PDB file of all heavy atoms in Angstrom:
ATOM      1  N   ALA A 171       4.728 -15.000 -21.990  1.00  0.00           N
ATOM      2  CA  ALA A 171       3.728 -15.854 -22.645  1.00  0.00           C
ATOM      3  C   ALA A 171       2.422 -15.075 -22.818  1.00  0.00           C
ATOM      4  O   ALA A 171       1.720 -15.222 -23.829  1.00  0.00           O
ATOM      5  CB  ALA A 171       3.496 -17.117 -21.813  1.00  0.00           C
ATOM      6  N   GLY A 172       2.113 -14.217 -21.819  1.00  0.00           N
ATOM      7  CA  GLY A 172       0.905 -13.388 -21.908  1.00  0.00           C
ATOM      8  C   GLY A 172       0.982 -12.419 -23.071  1.00  0.00           C
ATOM      9  O   GLY A 172      -0.007 -12.197 -23.779  1.00  0.00           O
ATOM     10  N   ALA A 173       2.163 -11.835 -23.287  1.00  0.00           N
ATOM     11  CA  ALA A 173       2.331 -10.906 -24.419  1.00  0.00           C
ATOM     12  C   ALA A 173       2.176 -11.672 -25.733  1.00  0.00           C
ATOM     13  O   ALA A 173       1.540 -11.184 -26.679  1.00  0.00           O
ATOM     14  CB  ALA A 173       3.694 -10.226 -24.346  1.00  0.00           C
ATOM     15  N   ALA A 174       2.736 -12.896 -25.781  1.00  0.00           N
ATOM     16  CA  ALA A 174       2.630 -13.687 -27.013  1.00  0.00           C
ATOM     17  C   ALA A 174       1.174 -14.061 -27.296  1.00  0.00           C
ATOM     18  O   ALA A 174       0.716 -14.052 -28.431  1.00  0.00           O
ATOM     19  CB  ALA A 174       3.492 -14.945 -26.883  1.00  0.00           C
ATOM     20  N   ARG A 175       0.427 -14.362 -26.225  1.00  0.00           N
ATOM     21  CA  ARG A 175      -0.962 -14.801 -26.418  1.00  0.00           C
ATOM     22  C   ARG A 175      -1.913 -13.630 -26.685  1.00  0.00           C
ATOM     23  O   ARG A 175      -2.813 -13.702 -27.520  1.00  0.00           O
ATOM     24  CB  ARG A 175      -1.395 -15.555 -25.149  1.00  0.00           C
ATOM     25  CG  ARG A 175      -2.879 -15.686 -24.913  1.00  0.00           C
ATOM     26  CD  ARG A 175      -3.407 -17.090 -25.229  1.00  0.00           C
ATOM     27  NE  ARG A 175      -4.814 -17.089 -25.603  1.00  0.00           N
ATOM     28  CZ  ARG A 175      -5.819 -17.323 -24.771  1.00  0.00           C
ATOM     29  NH1 ARG A 175      -5.564 -17.598 -23.525  1.00  0.00           N
ATOM     30  NH2 ARG A 175      -7.058 -17.294 -25.202  1.00  0.00           N
ATOM     31  N   TRP A 176      -1.742 -12.517 -25.939  1.00  0.00           N
ATOM     32  CA  TRP A 176      -2.736 -11.437 -25.959  1.00  0.00           C
ATOM     33  C   TRP A 176      -2.254 -10.155 -26.634  1.00  0.00           C
ATOM     34  O   TRP A 176      -3.018  -9.210 -26.752  1.00  0.00           O
ATOM     35  CB  TRP A 176      -3.128 -11.067 -24.517  1.00  0.00           C
ATOM     36  CG  TRP A 176      -3.746 -12.174 -23.727  1.00  0.00           C
ATOM     37  CD1 TRP A 176      -3.143 -12.946 -22.789  1.00  0.00           C
ATOM     38  CD2 TRP A 176      -5.096 -12.641 -23.816  1.00  0.00           C
ATOM     39  NE1 TRP A 176      -4.022 -13.864 -22.277  1.00  0.00           N
ATOM     40  CE2 TRP A 176      -5.235 -13.697 -22.885  1.00  0.00           C
ATOM     41  CE3 TRP A 176      -6.213 -12.268 -24.589  1.00  0.00           C
ATOM     42  CZ2 TRP A 176      -6.432 -14.386 -22.713  1.00  0.00           C
ATOM     43  CZ3 TRP A 176      -7.403 -12.963 -24.404  1.00  0.00           C
ATOM     44  CH2 TRP A 176      -7.497 -14.009 -23.481  1.00  0.00           C
ATOM     45  N   GLY A 177      -0.985 -10.107 -27.009  1.00  0.00           N
ATOM     46  CA  GLY A 177      -0.425  -8.828 -27.453  1.00  0.00           C
ATOM     47  C   GLY A 177      -0.137  -7.960 -26.247  1.00  0.00           C
ATOM     48  O   GLY A 177      -0.123  -8.450 -25.113  1.00  0.00           O
ATOM     49  N   VAL A 178       0.094  -6.661 -26.484  1.00  0.00           N
ATOM     50  CA  VAL A 178       0.452  -5.794 -25.364  1.00  0.00           C
ATOM     51  C   VAL A 178      -0.737  -4.938 -24.913  1.00  0.00           C
ATOM     52  O   VAL A 178      -1.184  -5.034 -23.786  1.00  0.00           O
ATOM     53  CB  VAL A 178       1.685  -4.923 -25.706  1.00  0.00           C
ATOM     54  CG1 VAL A 178       1.998  -3.978 -24.553  1.00  0.00           C
ATOM     55  CG2 VAL A 178       2.892  -5.818 -25.982  1.00  0.00           C
ATOM     56  N   GLY A 179      -1.262  -4.137 -25.778  1.00  0.00           N
ATOM     57  CA  GLY A 179      -2.344  -3.227 -25.370  1.00  0.00           C
ATOM     58  C   GLY A 179      -3.663  -3.957 -25.209  1.00  0.00           C
ATOM     59  O   GLY A 179      -3.952  -4.918 -25.927  1.00  0.00           O
ATOM     60  N   SER A 180      -4.486  -3.488 -24.249  1.00  0.00           N
ATOM     61  CA  SER A 180      -5.808  -4.099 -24.065  1.00  0.00           C
ATOM     62  C   SER A 180      -6.835  -3.496 -25.016  1.00  0.00           C
ATOM     63  O   SER A 180      -7.916  -4.046 -25.186  1.00  0.00           O
ATOM     64  CB  SER A 180      -6.272  -3.928 -22.623  1.00  0.00           C
ATOM     65  OG  SER A 180      -6.553  -2.559 -22.382  1.00  0.00           O
ATOM     66  N   HIS A 189     -11.995  -6.242 -21.819  1.00  0.00           N
ATOM     67  CA  HIS A 189     -12.013  -7.210 -20.702  1.00  0.00           C
ATOM     68  C   HIS A 189     -11.748  -8.617 -21.231  1.00  0.00           C
ATOM     69  O   HIS A 189     -12.628  -9.246 -21.809  1.00  0.00           O
ATOM     70  CB  HIS A 189     -13.369  -7.137 -19.996  1.00  0.00           C
ATOM     71  CG  HIS A 189     -13.421  -7.945 -18.730  1.00  0.00           C
ATOM     72  ND1 HIS A 189     -12.682  -7.622 -17.608  1.00  0.00           N
ATOM     73  CD2 HIS A 189     -14.104  -9.071 -18.407  1.00  0.00           C
ATOM     74  CE1 HIS A 189     -12.922  -8.510 -16.652  1.00  0.00           C
ATOM     75  NE2 HIS A 189     -13.780  -9.394 -17.115  1.00  0.00           N
ATOM     76  N   SER A 190     -10.533  -9.118 -21.005  1.00  0.00           N
ATOM     77  CA  SER A 190     -10.142 -10.413 -21.581  1.00  0.00           C
ATOM     78  C   SER A 190     -10.424 -11.565 -20.617  1.00  0.00           C
ATOM     79  O   SER A 190     -10.670 -11.364 -19.420  1.00  0.00           O
ATOM     80  CB  SER A 190      -8.639 -10.393 -21.868  1.00  0.00           C
ATOM     81  OG  SER A 190      -7.931 -10.407 -20.640  1.00  0.00           O
ATOM     82  N   ALA A 191     -10.318 -12.778 -21.143  1.00  0.00           N
ATOM     83  CA  ALA A 191     -10.442 -13.978 -20.302  1.00  0.00           C
ATOM     84  C   ALA A 191      -9.335 -14.012 -19.251  1.00  0.00           C
ATOM     85  O   ALA A 191      -9.512 -14.586 -18.179  1.00  0.00           O
ATOM     86  CB  ALA A 191     -10.398 -15.236 -21.175  1.00  0.00           C
ATOM     87  N   ALA A 192      -8.191 -13.387 -19.546  1.00  0.00           N
ATOM     88  CA  ALA A 192      -7.107 -13.333 -18.549  1.00  0.00           C
ATOM     89  C   ALA A 192      -7.525 -12.463 -17.357  1.00  0.00           C
ATOM     90  O   ALA A 192      -7.301 -12.825 -16.202  1.00  0.00           O
ATOM     91  CB  ALA A 192      -5.823 -12.792 -19.180  1.00  0.00           C
ATOM     92  N   HIS A 193      -8.141 -11.300 -17.634  1.00  0.00           N
ATOM     93  CA  HIS A 193      -8.641 -10.454 -16.532  1.00  0.00           C
ATOM     94  C   HIS A 193      -9.676 -11.229 -15.710  1.00  0.00           C
ATOM     95  O   HIS A 193      -9.666 -11.194 -14.475  1.00  0.00           O
ATOM     96  CB  HIS A 193      -9.313  -9.187 -17.069  1.00  0.00           C
ATOM     97  CG  HIS A 193      -8.371  -8.218 -17.737  1.00  0.00           C
ATOM     98  ND1 HIS A 193      -8.397  -7.985 -19.092  1.00  0.00           N
ATOM     99  CD2 HIS A 193      -7.405  -7.418 -17.241  1.00  0.00           C
ATOM    100  CE1 HIS A 193      -7.470  -7.071 -19.395  1.00  0.00           C
ATOM    101  NE2 HIS A 193      -6.849  -6.712 -18.283  1.00  0.00           N
ATOM    102  N   PRO A 375      -2.982  -4.085 -19.479  1.00  0.00           N
ATOM    103  CA  PRO A 375      -2.623  -5.135 -20.434  1.00  0.00           C
ATOM    104  C   PRO A 375      -2.921  -6.529 -19.872  1.00  0.00           C
ATOM    105  O   PRO A 375      -2.576  -6.814 -18.718  1.00  0.00           O
ATOM    106  CB  PRO A 375      -1.118  -4.940 -20.618  1.00  0.00           C
ATOM    107  CG  PRO A 375      -0.880  -3.504 -20.294  1.00  0.00           C
ATOM    108  CD  PRO A 375      -1.866  -3.160 -19.219  1.00  0.00           C
ATOM    109  N   PRO A 376      -3.560  -7.409 -20.662  1.00  0.00           N
ATOM    110  CA  PRO A 376      -3.874  -8.765 -20.182  1.00  0.00           C
ATOM    111  C   PRO A 376      -2.622  -9.531 -19.755  1.00  0.00           C
ATOM    112  O   PRO A 376      -2.707 -10.393 -18.877  1.00  0.00           O
ATOM    113  CB  PRO A 376      -4.529  -9.442 -21.392  1.00  0.00           C
ATOM    114  CG  PRO A 376      -4.895  -8.352 -22.337  1.00  0.00           C
ATOM    115  CD  PRO A 376      -4.073  -7.157 -22.031  1.00  0.00           C
ATOM    116  N   LEU A 377      -1.462  -9.202 -20.311  1.00  0.00           N
ATOM    117  CA  LEU A 377      -0.241  -9.916 -19.918  1.00  0.00           C
ATOM    118  C   LEU A 377       0.039  -9.711 -18.427  1.00  0.00           C
ATOM    119  O   LEU A 377       0.629 -10.588 -17.773  1.00  0.00           O
ATOM    120  CB  LEU A 377       0.963  -9.463 -20.763  1.00  0.00           C
ATOM    121  CG  LEU A 377       1.541  -8.058 -20.563  1.00  0.00           C
ATOM    122  CD1 LEU A 377       2.676  -8.062 -19.542  1.00  0.00           C
ATOM    123  CD2 LEU A 377       2.053  -7.521 -21.886  1.00  0.00           C
ATOM    124  N   GLU A 380      -1.894 -12.271 -16.529  1.00  0.00           N
ATOM    125  CA  GLU A 380      -1.198 -13.575 -16.561  1.00  0.00           C
ATOM    126  C   GLU A 380      -0.051 -13.579 -15.541  1.00  0.00           C
ATOM    127  O   GLU A 380       0.190 -14.570 -14.856  1.00  0.00           O
ATOM    128  CB  GLU A 380      -0.647 -13.866 -17.967  1.00  0.00           C
ATOM    129  CG  GLU A 380      -1.701 -13.894 -19.069  1.00  0.00           C
ATOM    130  CD  GLU A 380      -2.568 -15.159 -19.061  1.00  0.00           C
ATOM    131  OE1 GLU A 380      -2.447 -15.968 -18.118  1.00  0.00           O
ATOM    132  OE2 GLU A 380      -3.369 -15.319 -20.011  1.00  0.00           O
TER     133      GLU A 380
END
Side-chain angles (χ1 to χ4, degrees):
R175 160 104 206 264
W176 299 101
V178 177
S180 69
H189 188 67
S190 70
H193 292 111
L377 70 92
E380 301 285 7

